[in-house]
Amino acid sequence: RRLRIDGGRIAGSPGSRHCYRGVRMLAVSTERMLSAALTSILRHPAAMRVKAAARDLRWRLSGTTAQNPPLPPRIDSVLFVCLGNICRSPFAGLLAQQRLTEIHKVRTVSRSAGIRTSQSGSSPPEARTAAGVHGVSLESHRPVLLTPDLMSAHDLVVVMEYQQMEHLRSVYPASASRIVLLPLYDAGATGYERHNIDDPFMRPASAYAACYRRIDRAVAALCAAIAPRATVAGNLEGRC
């Protein structure tokens, strides 16, 4: 017996309706399996390498380059910024605070914020695990939204990507000279990576590990540059 759609309802025998629902469920299940398979293929290390090579080639052909402005003569506060403030910037901010306090012995305060804090209410498990390898805990971190007050309250603002730098310089022109690009402090990076530290969110654990290794190198170089412009711990007048 034929099925007839009548006013949004399936008309026909009970058996026909059950058959229709079965076919529909099979179609949905097949679509989900195909989507999962495609996602798995695209996230395979070999596919990721091909995508990275293509991205780097496009970047080189575009001729896009950037330079950081000179650092301010005095830096008592640093704000690290990324998109969602759950992966990159909180790790960089906490790592920088450790280095500035424990290694360089200066009083500079390091914080973090996100341009759009709607991705998640906390750092992903992969981020917490990868951060722990570097002695940083993201267990209690909660994302903070970037605001004009935060921008104006910090001596230096550090971003993760070229487009983020362009965006913040456009939205906050008065702060443009205080916005720097963190990957430019990763001396070994070239091409696309010279200007971008990719967001590892929703990617495999290996992406978080690679991202945090890059941030670790760049933060170490940045903190060494900040230290001579910071107040020595226990001394409000001196400098390193």
Side-chain angles (χ1 to χ4, degrees):
R1 185 176 179 180
R2 292 184 179 180
L3 290 176
R4 187 179 75 256
I5 299 177
D6 183 12
R9 297 172 302 181
I10 302 297
S13 67
S16 299
R17 289 193 293 271
H18 287 311
C19 179
Y20 174 82
R21 283 196 294 268
V23 170
R24 186 176 180 181
M25 290 175 63
L26 178 61
V28 171
S29 177
T30 301
E31 182 181 0
R32 288 176 178 172
M33 287 190 295
L34 289 174
S35 177
L38 179 59
T39 300
S40 178
I41 291 171
L42 292 177
R43 289 183 177 180
H44 189 278
M48 296 296 291
R49 286 193 294 270
V50 171
K51 289 167 61 178
R55 180 193 59 196
D56 192 60
L57 177 60
R58 289 196 305 270
W59 186 270
R60 292 175 185 273
L61 292 175
S62 73
T64 304
T65 59
Q67 289 186 336
N68 281 331
L71 293 178
R74 178 166 178 165
I75 303 176
D76 290 327
S77 59
V78 183
L79 182 67
F80 289 86
V81 176
C82 68
L83 180 61
N85 190 225
I86 55 174
C87 299
R88 293 170 294 177
S89 61
F91 173 71
L94 291 169
L95 185 64
Q97 190 66 76
Q98 287 184 2
R99 286 187 171 276
L100 291 168
T101 302
E102 299 172 9
I103 297 178
H104 297 287
K105 310 296 183 184
V106 296
R107 297 169 60 92
T108 299
V109 175
S110 173
R111 300 185 180 92
S112 66
I115 297 171
R116 187 177 70 245
T117 56
S118 59
Q119 290 175 299
S120 176
S122 62
S123 297
E126 297 89 348
R128 298 197 295 268
T129 299
V133 174
H134 298 266
V136 173
S137 175
L138 296 177
E139 295 297 328
S140 61
H141 174 74
R142 297 296 179 268
V144 175
L145 181 65
L146 179 65
T147 63
D149 287 344
L150 279 175
M151 285 292 297
S152 61
H154 290 82
D155 299 320
L156 189 68
V157 179
V158 186
V159 298
M160 305 291 151
E161 300 175 12
Y162 177 83
Q163 292 298 331
Q164 292 171 357
M165 180 182 69
E166 293 288 286
H167 171 71
L168 292 189
R169 286 179 175 178
S170 173
V171 176
Y172 303 102
S175 302
S177 63
R178 297 184 288 108
I179 300 172
V180 300
L181 195 55
L182 183 62
L184 289 178
Y185 286 91
D186 183 6
T190 60
Y192 174 86
E193 290 190 343
R194 180 65 173 157
H195 300 85
N196 299 275
I197 296 178
D198 271 346
D199 191 351
F201 186 60
M202 296 296 289
R203 296 176 61 193
S206 58
Y208 287 84
C211 175
Y212 285 4
R213 285 195 296 270
R214 289 202 61 203
I215 290 177
D216 184 47
R217 293 194 300 267
V219 164
L222 175 61
C223 288
I226 290 173
R229 296 167 170 80
T231 302
V232 177
N235 180 4
L236 295 178
E237 301 298 330
R239 295 286 186 274
C240 286

